[in-house]
Amino acid sequence: MSTLRDLAEEHTALRPADIDHLHRIAGDWQLLSDLSFADLLLWVPVDGDGTFLCVAQVRPTTAPTAYLDDQVGRIVGGAEVAHLEVAHRQGRIWREGDPVWYGDVPARHEAIPVRLRTGDGEAGEVIAVVGRDTNLSTARTPSQLELNYLTTADDLAQMIADGTFPPPRHPGETTSAPRVGDGLVRLDANGKVTYASPNAQSAYRRLGYASHLVGEDLAKLHRRLAGDPLEGTDAGNAVLAALRGEAPPRREIDARGATMLTRALPLMPAGVPIGALVLVRDITEVRRRDRALITKDATIREIHHRVKNNLQTVAALLRLQARRVAMPEARVALEESVRRVASIALVHETLSLSSDEAVEFDGIVDRVASAATEVAATEVSVGMRRRGTFGILPAEIATSLVMVLNELLLNAVEHGFPPADEETAAPPAVEGAVSAPRPEVVVTAHRARKQLHVTVADNGRGLPEQFDAEHGGNLGLQIVRALVTGELRGTIELRNGADGGTEAAIVVPLARGTTDRLTGRAGPP
């Protein structure tokens, strides 16, 4: 199914600013749908032919829907859209007409013009129409709650027609929660409560207010209830800001071990402030789980920190033992073990600083590459370079992959380039000949088709003749093969490069959830 933007750009001449405003409406109109007990359909006129296209739809959570089928993408014209045409052409809310039938469902049509206010605050032209269609099959005498819902819905509908709803979204607020069913409080122009839904009354009771809310000054009540004076002042000021016609950010109130989220919206149909709508939601359990997760994350980070410290201790013990060993082969083996342990400690050090069980791997690769050139047993000066980006990798992949790269980089530096005595024994350079390129190792990484592709390439002397790519090599290469094919469940290929040197090509599969979560952080190859 095409998105709102796709449909609007394909079938209409709406400007980007117009489409952005329609997106804001579609992101906040569940509130109006629930208050109206009605389906809302966003219709845009198709250029010049008298037809309308439905680009978005929302169903109420407080009443049965009028449409069993999705209406998005439907283009209609003629008598079926006469009410939409009136609202679009005359710029007024259309409520006339008899009920219509959709199969066996009777429904009442309404049409609300959508305006985008100009830069100077004036009401602009009508850019779309919101169809408000109510299922009448369960019609009955409305209760006090339903009457307050419908009255508030009419005020918000007029604000859509005025171009003052929805209000701008504040940074960090990705949803319009709390919802109507969580708790609704309506205030008059003086900030006094004129109606509070049963759920709203229950939410305030958990904060310690046992009396009825009707007649209370809500801003003052928030200041009294909040356990933190600053928090209470912020929550009270948010109510006052809504009464002035502003749209303040959501606020939380903590009292008596309970937490309530509040959202204050101004009610100003036709530009006249008549009060405010305050939505409340008891989020005590949500915040309790949040605190538990924070504690768990801190514990996990502390564990990684201690693992890192223990690994560094092991590396230090191995380093001391290497200094006391007389046999050169044993000393080399111990020093290699030190480097392997240190590379794993580097991953845990990064995890100890992260709030997630994932690491930004590029920095780790850069540090391992730098260390490889410093500790490698060679006199040749080798440059290190990385192309592309690994992005964020989960810990179970990062721990094994850092060991693989550590072994490959050390192997490339120590065995890929001839030592100084071999260079001295080489024939003298011919005058005018092109000098040999600077020794270099390049690590390349990119993602494709839920896989991580990594290549470690040098411009050295290449693989020796008769080299067995499947079974040959030293202990380091055996460790590499075991980790890639076992822990990482990937593949590795050792080969001579097209322009000389050696290449190690690794392909590591990424889990579907990991790939979806991380792809946006991974750069181009």
Side-chain angles (χ1 to χ4, degrees):
M1 176 61 69
S2 298
T3 65
L4 186 158
R5 186 176 298 277
D6 293 336
L7 291 170
E9 289 178 347
E10 180 180 355
H11 296 279
T12 74
L14 291 174
R15 301 164 300 176
D18 298 333
I19 299 176
D20 288 342
H21 184 64
L22 298 184
H23 265 292
R24 286 193 295 272
I25 289 177
D28 225 354
W29 67 348
Q30 184 69 59
L31 169 64
L32 178 59
S33 177
D34 291 343
L35 290 171
S36 302
F37 305 100
D39 292 76
L40 300 183
L41 285 72
L42 186 56
W43 298 93
V44 293
V46 179
D47 297 335
D49 58 3
T51 59
F52 285 81
L53 165 69
C54 181
V55 296
Q57 176 183 0
V58 63
R59 292 180 172 91
T61 61
T62 53
T65 180
Y67 299 97
L68 297 179
D69 298 326
D70 193 8
Q71 303 296 302
V72 175
R74 184 175 173 224
I75 299 178
V76 294
E80 191 174 356
V81 297
H83 62 301
L84 303 178
E85 181 65 31
V86 171
H88 183 261
R89 186 177 64 255
Q90 298 181 12
R92 66 177 180 86
I93 298 178
W94 185 93
R95 290 193 175 97
E96 304 88 41
D98 298 325
V100 296
W101 290 80
Y102 296 106
D104 297 331
V105 178
R108 180 177 65 248
H109 271 332
E110 295 178 70
I112 306 165
V114 176
R115 284 188 174 88
L116 173 61
R117 299 186 76 81
T118 61
D120 57 5
E122 297 296 327
E125 62 181 7
V126 177
I127 60 174
V129 178
V130 172
R132 183 163 62 168
D133 302 334
T134 307
N135 185 334
L136 299 178
S137 60
T138 58
R140 55 184 174 80
T141 302
S143 64
Q144 184 184 12
L145 179 144
E146 292 166 334
L147 287 174
N148 277 277
Y149 276 20
L150 292 170
T151 301
T152 305
D154 288 342
D155 293 334
L156 294 179
Q158 184 60 54
M159 291 172 66
I160 288 180
D162 299 336
T164 57
F165 185 88
R169 183 158 289 167
H170 296 274
E173 293 185 351
T174 57
T175 66
S176 58
R179 293 191 172 189
V180 169
D182 296 325
L184 177 145
V185 179
R186 181 166 176 135
L187 309 180
D188 62 18
N190 297 317
K192 299 295 183 64
V193 177
T194 60
Y195 176 77
S197 69
N199 283 347
Q201 192 73 53
S202 297
Y204 279 92
R205 187 170 290 114
R206 290 205 64 177
L207 294 179
Y209 185 76
S211 303
H212 290 293
L213 286 168
V214 175
E216 280 289 334
D217 186 316
L218 197 65
K220 294 180 180 179
L221 180 62
H222 283 179
R223 295 191 182 104
R224 294 202 310 268
L225 289 177
D228 184 342
L230 181 59
E231 185 181 86
T233 300
D234 288 343
N237 289 342
V239 173
L240 297 178
L243 294 172
R244 294 192 301 267
E246 302 171 13
R250 299 193 293 253
R251 300 294 185 187
E252 293 184 9
I253 302 176
D254 289 288
R256 298 182 62 181
T259 306
M260 185 176 71
L261 177 65
T262 68
R263 185 193 186 199
L265 293 169
L267 294 177
M268 43 187 304
V272 179
I274 62 171
L277 173 68
V278 180
L279 300 174
V280 300
R281 179 185 179 189
D282 182 359
I283 57 170
T284 303
E285 291 303 312
V286 175
R287 289 295 172 261
R288 183 188 62 79
R289 288 194 294 269
D290 287 346
R291 288 190 290 269
L293 286 174
I294 291 173
T295 302
K296 179 182 177 182
D297 289 342
T299 302
I300 291 174
R301 289 197 298 272
E302 178 62 21
I303 290 172
H304 284 300
H305 179 72
R306 295 189 181 189
V307 170
K308 182 263 295 184
N309 289 343
N310 290 339
L311 288 172
Q312 288 180 336
T313 301
V314 171
L317 293 174
L318 290 173
R319 193 177 294 111
L320 287 173
Q321 186 66 42
R323 293 172 182 170
R324 294 174 176 269
V325 172
M327 296 178 59
E329 295 85 357
R331 184 182 303 110
V332 170
L334 288 172
E335 289 174 349
E336 289 180 351
S337 297
V338 169
R339 291 194 290 269
R340 289 163 186 152
V341 172
S343 65
I344 300 175
L346 185 60
V347 174
H348 285 281
E349 179 183 4
T350 307
L351 286 169
S352 69
L353 302 175
S354 172
S355 60
D356 195 4
E357 281 294 285
V359 294
E360 179 66 60
F361 202 69
D362 290 344
I364 293 178
V365 174
D366 294 342
R367 292 172 66 180
V368 168
S370 177
T373 60
E374 294 175 0
V375 303
T378 179
E379 298 178 358
V380 180
S381 176
V382 181
M384 289 285 181
R385 187 157 53 94
R386 174 174 55 83
R387 288 196 310 213
T389 177
F390 290 81
I392 299 178
L393 293 178
E396 60 269 19
I397 293 179
T399 303
S400 299
L401 187 57
V402 72
M403 286 193 64
V404 169
L405 292 177
N406 180 62
E407 296 295 337
L408 291 175
L409 289 170
L410 283 170
N411 197 68
V413 172
E414 294 181 349
H415 304 291
F417 304 96
D421 56 348
E422 292 186 22
E423 292 181 357
T424 304
V430 179
E431 185 177 353
V434 178
S435 60
R438 176 177 180 265
E440 185 179 50
V441 179
V442 179
V443 181
T444 305
H446 72 277
R447 295 170 185 257
R449 298 181 179 178
K450 303 183 181 73
Q451 293 177 329
L452 176 64
H453 295 255
V454 182
T455 303
V456 179
D458 64 62
N459 59 352
R461 56 188 171 184
L463 294 172
E465 294 183 6
Q466 308 302 322
F467 179 78
D468 185 354
E470 291 296 326
H471 304 95
N474 54 21
L475 176 61
L477 288 180
Q478 294 174 22
I479 293 175
V480 166
R481 291 192 191 94
L483 288 173
V484 172
T485 59
E487 296 295 325
L488 298 176
R489 300 181 182 179
T491 61
I492 181 172
E493 179 185 0
L494 294 175
R495 63 200 179 205
N496 285 314
D499 299 323
T502 306
E503 290 182 355
I506 302 170
V507 179
V508 177
L510 299 171
R512 177 178 179 82
T514 301
T515 304
D516 293 343
R517 181 169 61 90
L518 304 179
T519 300
R521 294 291 300 275

